[in-house]
Amino acid sequence: MTEPDPKADLRTNLQDARDVLLWKLDGLPEYDVRRPMTPTGTNLLGLVKHLAGAEAFYFGTVFGRPFPGAPLWITGDAEPNADLWARADETREEIVGLYRRACAHADETVAALPLDAVGRIPGTGRGEVTLHRALAHMIGETHRHAGHADIVRELIDGAAGQRPGGLNTPEGNASWWAAHRDRVERAAKEAGGS
């Protein structure tokens, strides 16, 4: 049995969620990666943009290792939800590249500091956080948004699951899934008294 390595375990879990999120963009045209699919405007590219800012903030600003480049929308005077959608002049390549750079910068912070290193969250009353806690937070945040991306992608073209080809979902063709959905709908109606 190998020795436990908590930092490596946390880092692997975070990278897994990052990979899932980026896979959700693969093969889609520009409109579909930007298209708002919920009443609040949730869209795939906006989720990536949001997480780029979160990675830069939690593993850059908080630990005194500022992310290079222009200030990100998570701080400053940005309009509400500026981090959750892509303007027409922001390309997919720019946002994905920004996310990859923010993740690489975060990985450098994780490699350089011990899990008990303490960072300071700017703003009144927000306090201090250890690297361990920041990693746990970003794992949760990234998996949460990867789940949003999974639903958005399924609404766009039916692609579902954590990996290409739906390797972690039951096998089934379109008619199998339609029958499954109908069964779930019947159970919901029966339970709801309809």
Side-chain angles (χ1 to χ4, degrees):
M1 182 168 182
T2 61
E3 289 295 314
D5 186 347
K7 188 190 281 190
D9 292 343
L10 292 166
R11 173 70 186 79
T12 297
N13 201 299
L14 178 57
Q15 188 59 50
D16 183 56
R18 290 168 173 170
D19 293 343
V20 170
L21 180 73
L22 289 177
W23 168 68
K24 297 300 174 177
L25 303 175
D26 284 356
L28 291 178
E30 201 63 33
Y31 172 72
D32 284 338
V33 299
R34 297 165 178 269
R35 180 164 48 142
M37 297 299 294
T38 69
T40 58
T42 303
N43 65 91
L44 294 172
L45 200 54
L47 293 170
V48 174
K49 184 178 175 183
H50 169 73
L51 285 170
E55 292 260 2
F57 178 76
Y58 279 100
F59 299 114
T61 304
V62 168
F63 288 95
R65 300 169 58 87
F67 181 70
L72 296 173
W73 42 88
I74 198 164
T75 60
D77 296 328
E79 69 178 72
N81 287 336
D83 62 325
L84 288 166
W85 64 286
R87 297 183 322 266
D89 65 330
E90 293 176 305
T91 70
R92 177 194 322 214
E93 292 75 20
E94 288 170 343
I95 291 173
V96 169
L98 177 67
Y99 182 59
R100 290 184 192 282
R101 288 190 308 280
C103 291
H105 183 76
D107 292 344
E108 291 169 9
T109 297
V110 171
L113 301 175
L115 286 176
D116 61 356
V118 176
R120 181 136 192 86
I121 299 175
T124 51
R126 296 195 61 194
E128 296 179 335
V129 63
T130 63
L131 179 63
H132 184 267
R133 185 162 285 180
L135 271 163
H137 172 78
M138 278 309 302
I139 288 166
E141 179 86 357
T142 307
H143 275 285
R144 176 177 176 252
H145 291 310
H148 294 143
D150 194 33
I151 291 168
V152 168
R153 178 68 189 250
E154 185 175 354
L155 290 170
I156 291 170
D157 69 356
Q162 193 174 358
R163 302 281 181 264
L167 296 178
N168 67 324
T169 57
E171 287 188 40
N173 60 23
S175 61
W176 184 90
W177 282 108
H180 172 72
R181 189 199 175 287
D182 289 346
R183 181 177 177 204
V184 172
E185 176 70 19
R186 283 191 307 277
K189 285 181 177 179
E190 183 179 324
S194 298

